[in-house]
Structure formats: C-alpha cells, structure tokens
Amino acid sequence: FLSLSLQAKMSRPVQARRLEGIDKNIWVEFVKLAATYSTVNLGQGFPDFPPPDFLKEAFVRALSGENHMLHQYTRAFGHPPLVKILAQFFGKLLGRDLDPMTNVMVTVGAYQALFCCFQAFVDEGDEVIIIEPFFDCYEPMVKMAGGMPVFVPLRPKAPKDGKLMSSADWQLDPAELASKFSERTKAIVLNSPNNPLGKVFSRGELELIADLCVKHDVLCISDEVYEWLVYDGKEHIRIASLQGMWDRTVIIGSAGKTFSATGWKVGWTVGPNQLLQHLRTVHQNSVYHCATVAQEAVAQGFQRELELYGKPESYFVQLSNELQQKRDWLVQSLDAVGMKPIVPEGTYFLVADISEFKSDVPDVPDSDEPYDSRFAKWMVKNKGLAAIPLSAFYCGANKNNYNHFIRFCFAKEEATLKAANDILQKWKREKTSP
Ligand code: PMP
C-alpha cells in the first residue's frame, strides 16, 4: 500500500513551458497587502463609488424582468442588443458603418480581449512592441503566446521652471521607436490614455506610430479602456481613425471603466472582420461568452449614452468632470507635502515622485526588489496608505531605471481622498518636527 502511494505521487514536471517566469503577479501581491494593512486604498484601479443609477437599474431589470432567457446562454461573440449598440456607438465615433456581427466582439473584460489578441495574432518568435510604462499583463500575455516582447520607453523631459511635470512630458523618442520595428515585428500595443501615467497620446505621436505600423505592415492592439477619462479639454484620438490603420487595428474597451463597474467584467473589441474572425476562434475555444444579464445592462447603458451623446447629462461627460476634480484634489495633496505629482491628462491614475520621502523608509541595500516596491510596502504597513510601485509597469531589465515613483488611483469618494490627504499631512508634520 505504501509503495503504491509513493508511486502515485507525481514526479514529472507538471508546469507547461509557456508558464515559465510569469508566475508572479503584482496585483495578487499588492491587493493582499492593501486588504491586510491599508486604511486608505489608492492602489488597484477601481472606483469606490457606485455605478450610475441608470446602469444598476438596468441590471436589476435584466435580472428580475419578464425575459427569463436573460439567465441563459446568449450568442458566443456578444449578446445581440450589446453588439448592435456598440456597432452603432463606435460606428458614429469612427465615422464608418460597423456590422454588429463581424466588427464587434464582447469579451470578459478588456483583459480577455487582450488575451484573445495575443493568442490570435502572435506566433512563436514574433515580436510585439510594448511602450513602457505599460499595463503589466501585456508582457506575460505575449510570452504565453510564444512571442517576444520588445520594449520602448516613454522618456521624461524636465518640465518648465517651477511647473509640475505633466504626463505629456513623457514622450517617445521617434528614432528609438523606429529602431524597434523589424520584419519580426507582428504587433504594437498602444494604450492611450495610458495606465499608469495617464498620458493621452497626441495626434502627432499617434501618426508616428501609425506610419511605422503601415511601413512595416504591423498590427496595432489599441487598449482604449480609459477613452472617456480625458481631462482639461484634451481629445482622445482613436488610432484606428488614422490613415491606413482601420485594417490593422483592434480597439479594446471596457464597461468596467466606462460605467464604473469593474466587477461586471464586460469588455469588447472593435475592428475589421479579417482580424476579429481570429479573435472569435480564440474566444469560442476558451470562455465562449460572458454573463448575459451584465451584457444586457451594459447595452441599455450605451443606449442611454447614445441618446445623450455630448450633452451635459451624459454619464461619460459627467464622469470625466468628476474625475478631473478628484485628480486636482490629489495633485494638491501630494504637491503640498512634496511628493511631486506628474499631472495626468487622463485615466484613474496619478504617478508621484517619492524622492523626498526616501529618508523615512529604511533601505535594504542588497535587495533585488526595486526601491519603489519596498517603499510602497513600507507605506501601506506603516502609514496605512496603499499605492502601486511604478517599477511594476516596466520589464525586468528596466525596473530599476524608474524606481522612485508610485502610482495612486484617484477614482475614489471625496472622503477617501480626504483620508489620504490626512495621512500625507500627518506624515509631513512628523518629518519636519522630529
Ligand atoms: N487595460 C488597461 C490599460 C487597464 O488598466 C485594465 C484594468 N486595470 C484593463 C485593460 C482590464 O480591463 P477589464 O477590467 O475590463 O478587464
């Protein structure tokens, strides 16, 4: 019996090769730390305020209304009312006729849309260009598909005298970007507005990327989940609308960010059928479809937004106004204590320079862990304030080049931002009066 049970123990390696080196995940680690220690959580990107009433009501109607078929499976590539309204909405934004059945696919959040893209387009050895700092999942997802991520950084320029730095001061070097394109390049990932910096790429910057994509016949995976969260009158430009780009771009969006309901996990892709047909192949052989009631409610949310498009009552207009105000509060709080903020042009996020606070945090000279990561852990444990180290948004080789910044999420209730301000003010007082 004993020998049988010894034999029954597995001795062969069980892990598939594609998982090598991608087992660590910043969110798993920092979400746990925030849950254990934080009193104020400005870490992971989600609102702590509710979604709008019209969206919650639509969900309740879908859940308890007469159409009990909303509790059953729906069409694999998107619940018909949702793909129809998305085709109408994005058709209007892009100025082209979109077919709901072939130009739109609904996914389990933008996360699954990204996964479908990498699985559908990236072959063993293909290179995928990723602009640093980047939403961290791009790198492991490219690797899981057998591809090679190739990184190119946004480089910060010093701001004009006395001014706070803006996310617009972080720019691509055109020659450096061009040098990353080769015949091995299959795709570039663009994320505008960008997580974590909040950078909104200008038309000029997008044209630079678009020209290189066309010249080298490269695909563009355009992660636009923060498309409505753009401030100071800036415009979100869709790269798919630039010359030569529609045929080679997949647009990715998220109801989580669009309607402040990140837990619903409804996302979508919009693009030409010759690209989306391959996403459908991955999707039908993996998750198949996402929750029907959530899709129905999001469809109703978009119906409302289409009717109110550009009007002051539009949620998209109101949300960006509210978030701009929240951004300004956090900018002021951080600036007042000397944790210099980089003013974001969009998104939920703001990156701040922690250099002036270094003396407070005990250093571990021989640690492999980037300084900002140790700082963020110390801060949540000792000050109760959770944030995410910027190095988490860089590849391994570049983590230590950008290790004196942390990212805060300001999509939070006024009371939460005030509590963060109180922590920062108290910390500052303790620093100046030992
Ligand atoms: N892309 C970016 C840039 C993100 O910040 C996020 C969420 N943090 C996602 C994609 C994933 O979105 P979803 O929650 O809809 O899966």
Side-chain angles (χ1 to χ4, degrees):
F1 179 73
L2 188 66
S3 74
L4 198 70
S5 74
L6 277 177
Q7 247 174 23
K9 255 188 139 199
M10 291 208 67
S11 57
R12 69 198 293 182
V14 290
Q15 179 201 292
R17 267 200 313 280
R18 77 179 75 88
L19 300 192
E20 269 164 30
I22 60 166
D23 51 332
K24 286 228 167 60
N25 179 294
I26 175 82
W27 305 109
V28 174
E29 191 182 6
F30 274 84
V31 166
K32 189 165 164 215
L33 276 171
T36 314
Y37 297 105
S38 79
T39 41
V40 179
N41 185 0
L42 305 189
Q44 200 186 13
F46 61 87
D48 68 350
F49 47 82
D53 286 346
F54 68 83
L55 194 79
K56 287 193 289 184
E57 285 157 15
F59 197 101
V60 171
R61 272 199 308 277
L63 196 71
S64 46
E66 281 181 2
N67 184 2
H68 62 266
M69 291 313 286
L70 293 176
H71 293 277
Q72 305 307 328
Y73 294 133
T74 184
R75 180 176 164 270
F77 309 120
H79 186 49
L82 181 55
V83 287
K84 277 183 199 147
I85 192 70
L86 285 171
Q88 241 180 304
F89 205 100
F90 282 89
K92 182 181 162 105
L93 296 174
L94 293 161
R96 53 172 71 236
D97 269 345
L98 297 183
D99 175 358
M101 299 299 144
T102 59
N103 294 133
V104 181
M105 184 180 90
V106 175
T107 53
V108 182
Y111 222 88
Q112 193 229 338
L114 288 161
F115 187 77
C116 284
C117 286
F118 296 122
Q119 289 294 318
F121 303 135
V122 177
D123 258 329
E124 222 35 60
D126 283 348
E127 292 187 356
V128 177
I129 298 175
I130 297 176
I131 300 168
E132 289 179 308
F134 58 93
F135 181 48
D136 63 298
C137 74
Y138 303 154
E139 180 182 8
M141 284 194 191
V142 169
K143 288 183 174 161
M144 241 196 284
M148 278 266 299
V150 171
F151 299 97
V152 59
L154 289 165
R155 297 196 177 274
K157 280 192 326 193
K160 290 179 204 85
D161 291 344
K163 276 188 113 187
L164 285 176
M165 190 179 246
S166 151
S167 55
D169 293 322
W170 290 60
Q171 291 176 5
L172 289 165
D173 173 336
E176 188 176 20
L177 177 66
S179 76
K180 304 291 176 180
F181 282 77
S182 74
E183 70 275 12
R184 291 182 303 279
T185 313
K186 186 68 182 284
I188 182 167
V189 187
L190 172 69
N191 174 215
S192 180
N194 161 276
N195 173 10
L197 282 173
K199 177 182 173 67
V200 177
F201 283 66
S202 68
R203 185 173 291 278
E205 289 171 311
L206 295 175
E207 279 170 356
L208 173 75
I209 296 169
D211 289 350
L212 287 163
C213 286
V214 172
K215 181 170 169 205
H216 295 274
D217 201 18
V218 161
L219 291 165
C220 180
I221 299 167
S222 185
D223 179 344
E224 303 183 24
V225 298
Y226 299 104
E227 61 194 320
W228 301 108
L229 305 179
V230 175
Y231 313 128
D232 308 320
K234 286 252 155 63
E235 189 194 358
H236 168 62
I237 299 166
R238 293 177 173 75
I239 196 165
S241 69
L242 301 187
Q243 186 80 31
M245 289 307 287
W246 168 253
D247 279 341
R248 58 181 71 253
T249 303
V250 175
I251 300 173
I252 293 176
S254 164
K257 314 291 160 151
T258 298
F259 290 112
S260 313
T262 58
W264 290 19
K265 293 298 290 184
V266 176
W268 54 84
T269 58
V270 173
N273 184 40
Q274 76 268 19
L275 299 186
L276 259 65
Q277 62 177 331
H278 306 300
L279 302 187
R280 293 197 289 271
T281 309
V282 179
H283 186 74
Q284 77 198 4
N285 292 309
S286 49
V287 306
Y288 199 71
H289 83 64
C290 96
T292 311
V293 269
Q295 293 193 62
E296 173 72 20
V298 171
Q300 293 187 24
F302 265 106
Q303 188 65 54
R304 176 191 187 272
E305 287 302 304
L306 186 64
E307 282 151 24
L308 297 175
Y309 186 73
K311 301 210 172 106
E313 308 91 292
S314 152
Y315 183 66
F316 299 166
V317 171
Q318 288 174 350
L319 182 64
S320 85
N321 288 340
E322 275 169 33
L323 281 169
Q324 181 172 323
Q325 168 86 72
K326 291 176 191 296
R327 175 201 66 172
D328 292 344
W329 285 333
L330 188 59
V331 163
Q332 274 166 23
S333 296
L334 291 166
D335 193 26
V337 297
M339 203 179 269
K340 282 270 168 280
I342 300 167
V343 182
E345 306 154 273
T347 76
Y348 283 170
F349 307 112
L350 184 165
V351 170
D353 188 328
I354 53 176
S355 301
E356 284 192 29
F357 284 71
K358 272 187 167 172
S359 55
D360 282 21
V361 180
D363 205 1
V364 190
D366 296 327
S367 169
D368 284 341
E369 190 178 4
Y371 179 76
D372 59 348
S373 178
R374 299 202 301 273
F375 183 97
K377 285 181 186 168
W378 182 90
M379 189 170 82
V380 70
K381 288 181 187 164
N382 292 276
K383 302 290 173 188
L385 180 60
I388 305 291
L390 187 67
S391 60
F393 303 89
Y394 282 86
C395 73
N398 293 341
K399 281 189 190 301
N400 273 316
N401 297 340
Y402 296 91
N403 65 359
H404 58 287
F405 294 102
I406 52 177
R407 189 201 77 172
F408 293 98
C409 173
F410 56 81
K412 304 292 172 188
E413 297 274 22
E414 194 176 337
T416 313
L417 295 172
K418 197 173 168 307
N421 183 53
D422 292 347
I423 291 175
L424 290 166
Q425 290 289 342
K426 185 161 176 275
W427 190 355
K428 173 78 176 171
R429 281 197 301 276
E430 286 163 2
K431 267 169 79 68
T432 44
S433 52

